[in-house]
Amino acid sequence: MRITVIGTGYLGAVHAAGMAQFGHDVLGVDVDATKIDQLAHGVAPFYEPGFPDLLRENIDAGRLRFSTSLREAADFGDVHFVCVGTPQRSGSAAADMTYVDAVIKGLAPHLSRNCLIVGKSTVPVGTAARLASMVAALAPAAEGVQVAWNPEFLREGFAVNDTLHPDRLVVGVESAEAEATLRQVYAEILDAGTPYIATDVATAELVKVSANAFLATKISFINAISEVCETVGADIVPLAAALGHDPRIGSRFLAPGLGFGGGCLPKDIRAFLARAEELGVEDVLTFLKNVDAVNVSRRRSAVDLARAMLGGSLKDKRIAVLGAAFKPNSDDIRDSPALYVASALHESGAHVRIHDPEAIENARTSHPALNYTTEVQKAFEGAQLAVHLTEWQEYRELDPQYLSTLVTTPQILDARNALDIDLWRAAGWTIRAMGRPTR
Ligand code: UGA
């Protein structure tokens, strides 16, 4: 099939390459000419394991091209996937729909043949219906253009696998014809026996925000219990393990620590609440405000704990910061808990030196006042405290014995509960962890 993927960020670029991998003829489109140029030359504009190979393989096979032209997209595609961002609107909790709307306004006037527009962006419920009205007013071939919704559940860091082997496929369609088209697009995934749910567009839109709201709730739940543990001297790590053995609860997304960040979970729960308010059903979702509040409070707790470990003041203290990305295996620093904490330490007068295996460039661009290093041991040199904020595998493999010779004071705050406490203690470190007792 001839497929366009409009918006080539973390989601769209991988989706475009994935569709090409399934044998479709794919055109990736973005307004960012630099990004399109990079992609066209087989260069990944962001860090995502496995993506560079998938990109180059499909460009070389002649199935994947890139363009900045929505007119070209309209002429080319049988199916147009909309994958642009829906960030939080500035000064509001709601989603900013500017980019989604701009795609429809730019694309629809050129649609002179039958096609299916498929939204993948995370949007407020009711968006597909609204876009369908826009298309009906703008597209020359309006009769033959339909809008469907096909939420995406991929996780950054696992985007290639999640695209090629998703754990479920959800399509929101308004006609049997639209469903047949999507079945054709995803034939390979369906043949593999992937659970498949076809529903209406509003339900499909809601599936996505509900999934992210549930995940956020699960994380804030364990972090709320973590605060209780801190108060009574109990230990959140064995507690979470014990809960996780109950298959009704499950151990995934139950990792206590610094909480969630990124370009999805935080803004999605806020946009969900904002939409619920518009619909007059905010009361039933009030708990999401607590989910958000608990999440933000963990970041402040980490700063407070760091201050306490440094004797009550951060002023002029040298701190090694491990991690800038919002999670490991990603260079994404959007709403990163790690950068939030690093900035707060800096603003309180500490001298931070931040290391991250992949996200330094992005972090430097967004937080130019902070200090960075690409060599982890440089972060430790002369430090009076180290704070572990993003749980990269590399940090689990550090040698605490050697690092203790570099620092001024061997003490570390493990805000992700991912380090081997006994190993660090045996090497002479004072280690404190979120939700764990001081021993
Ligand atoms: C999230 C969802 O997991 C995807 O299913 C969804 O497709 C995506 O948002 C999206 O809406 O596009 P992602 O933002 O890549 O994916 O990251 P997650 O793996 O969900 O992690 C989110 C945050 O939660 C990270 O900051 C992570 O460190 C934190 N987290 C995760 C915890 O604090 N504890 C956990 O147990 C798990």
Side-chain angles (χ1 to χ4, degrees), residues 297-318:
S297 85
R298 297 314 283 159
R299 301 177 184 193
R300 293 202 203 99
S301 297
V303 176
D304 292 343
L305 196 47
R307 185 183 293 107
M309 291 176 82
L310 287 165
S313 168
L314 290 162
K315 183 109 185 66
D316 289 330
K317 297 288 166 42
R318 289 183 303 279

Side-chain angles (χ1 to χ4, degrees), residues 152-154 156 208 212 253-255 259-261 264 326-327:
E152 179 58 60
F153 305 104
L154 71 77
E156 287 173 25
K208 176 58 196 263
N212 278 1
F253 268 71
L254 212 55
F260 57 84
C264 304
F326 85 104
K327 68 170 186 179

Side-chain angles (χ1 to χ4, degrees), residues 11 122 152-157 168 208 212 215 219 222-223 251-265 268 326-328 337 391 416:
L11 157 61
T122 306
E152 179 58 60
F153 305 104
L154 71 77
R155 299 157 299 164
E156 287 173 25
R168 78 283 215 191
K208 176 58 196 263
N212 278 1
L215 293 171
I219 297 168
I222 202 64
N223 283 332
S251 59
R252 295 177 71 187
F253 268 71
L254 212 55
L258 201 48
F260 57 84
C264 304
L265 263 44
D268 286 352
F326 85 104
K327 68 170 186 179
E391 69 278 30
R416 290 292 183 180

Side-chain angles (χ1 to χ4, degrees), residues 88-388:
Q88 187 171 340
R89 205 186 292 165
S90 94
S92 153
D96 182 350
M97 297 305 291
T98 315
Y99 307 107
V100 172
D101 289 4
V103 168
I104 300 302
K105 283 182 199 146
L107 181 73
H110 303 298
L111 293 175
S112 46
R113 65 192 187 86
N114 294 357
C115 62
L116 183 64
I117 297 174
V118 186
K120 276 189 111 48
S121 309
T122 306
V123 293
V125 59
T127 298
R130 189 172 63 76
L131 299 183
S133 306
M134 281 169 71
V135 169
L138 295 172
E143 297 280 286
V145 183
Q146 292 189 37
V147 175
W149 221 260
N150 166 222
E152 179 58 60
F153 305 104
L154 71 77
R155 299 157 299 164
E156 287 173 25
F158 301 93
V160 170
N161 181 69
D162 288 354
T163 300
L164 300 179
H165 311 285
D167 51 17
R168 78 283 215 191
L169 195 58
V170 177
V171 300
V173 287
E174 296 298 320
S175 73
E177 194 190 348
E179 194 195 341
T181 302
L182 282 168
R183 278 184 159 276
Q184 212 179 325
V185 169
Y186 290 121
E188 195 161 323
I189 290 174
L190 292 171
D191 288 350
T194 307
Y196 170 72
I197 291 164
T199 179
D200 57 276
V201 287
T203 305
E205 290 167 331
L206 272 177
V207 166
K208 176 58 196 263
V209 283
S210 310
N212 278 1
F214 190 87
L215 293 171
T217 304
K218 203 171 174 193
I219 297 168
S220 275
F221 175 83
I222 202 64
N223 283 332
I225 304 297
S226 175
E227 287 209 33
V228 179
C229 284
E230 280 162 18
T231 310
V232 299
D235 192 339
I236 193 63
V237 170
L239 187 153
L243 293 190
H245 284 299
D246 182 334
R248 295 169 302 173
I249 297 174
S251 59
R252 295 177 71 187
F253 268 71
L254 212 55
L258 201 48
F260 57 84
C264 304
L265 263 44
K267 63 99 177 160
D268 286 352
I269 56 168
R270 291 172 197 151
F272 196 11
L273 263 169
R275 183 65 179 135
E277 254 167 55
E278 286 169 8
L279 297 167
V281 290
E282 69 272 26
D283 288 355
V284 292
L285 292 182
T286 311
F287 70 94
L288 288 179
K289 279 192 188 146
N290 286 61
V291 167
D292 201 2
V294 167
N295 193 50
V296 174
S297 85
R298 297 314 283 159
R299 301 177 184 193
R300 293 202 203 99
S301 297
V303 176
D304 292 343
L305 196 47
R307 185 183 293 107
M309 291 176 82
L310 287 165
S313 168
L314 290 162
K315 183 109 185 66
D316 289 330
K317 297 288 166 42
R318 289 183 303 279
I319 302 179
V321 174
L322 303 181
F326 85 104
K327 68 170 186 179
N329 303 314
S330 173
D331 64 354
D332 194 345
I333 47 98
R334 287 176 294 171
D335 203 350
S336 165
L339 274 182
Y340 178 103
V341 171
S343 300
L345 295 172
H346 167 80
E347 277 155 25
S348 298
H351 303 290
V352 296
R353 199 174 295 148
I354 306 170
H355 174 267
D356 190 284
E358 295 293 339
I360 291 298
E361 215 177 302
N362 286 342
R364 207 192 293 274
T365 306
S366 76
H367 293 70
L370 303 180
N371 285 315
Y372 300 93
T373 176
T374 51
E375 289 170 63
V376 72
Q377 66 273 19
K378 285 253 158 57
F380 280 91
E381 276 168 12
Q384 292 154 290
L385 173 72
V387 289
H388 177 232

